Amino acid sequence: MRGSTFAHLNRGRIKDVITFKGITVAELEQEFHNSVDDYLEWCAELGEEPDKPFSGKLPFRTTVERHRKIYLAAKKANKSINSWMDDILAKALN
């Protein structure tokens, strides 16, 4: 991890249970690593798997016909397929 990764931060939070802060970039980076190590230890003590980060990418396979219908629905909504699908999925989750 490069120091510039943390250059604009003085504290951070990952998933509400991992917090870290530092004055210098080196201190911040060290505290980040310490916090992640603590989180992994905590998960091991609980017998749980640590959460995996999500990329925000969702591979999706469908039929040719459904792909065409999705394209047409997105075009009708004046959106990209990704934007249209994200909106539809967000509504389904609420």
Side-chain angles (χ1 to χ4, degrees):
M1 188 173 296
R2 285 181 268 133
S4 61
T5 304
F6 293 103
H8 64 284
L9 297 173
N10 66 356
R11 66 178 181 272
R13 176 189 300 253
I14 302 171
K15 212 191 158 285
D16 288 337
V17 294
I18 302 175
T19 58
F20 54 97
K21 62 183 176 180
I23 303 296
T24 66
V25 171
E27 189 177 285
L28 184 65
E29 187 172 358
Q30 184 59 53
E31 288 303 314
F32 166 76
H33 289 289
N34 292 346
S35 293
V36 170
D37 290 344
D38 289 345
Y39 171 68
L40 295 174
E41 186 178 311
W42 181 64
C43 288
E45 288 173 7
L46 294 175
E48 296 180 1
E49 288 292 315
D51 287 340
K52 305 276 189 225
F54 290 93
S55 68
K57 296 177 184 178
L58 184 63
F60 178 76
R61 301 257 185 241
T62 191
T63 65
V64 171
E65 181 60 22
R66 187 168 295 129
H67 189 172
R68 185 182 73 76
K69 288 179 180 180
I70 291 168
Y71 165 79
L72 292 172
K75 185 176 178 182
K76 183 177 179 181
N78 203 25
K79 296 180 178 182
S80 67
I81 289 176
N82 282 341
S83 178
W84 182 84
M85 287 180 64
D86 191 53
D87 289 348
I88 295 298
L89 292 171
K91 288 175 187 171
L93 293 173
N94 292 328

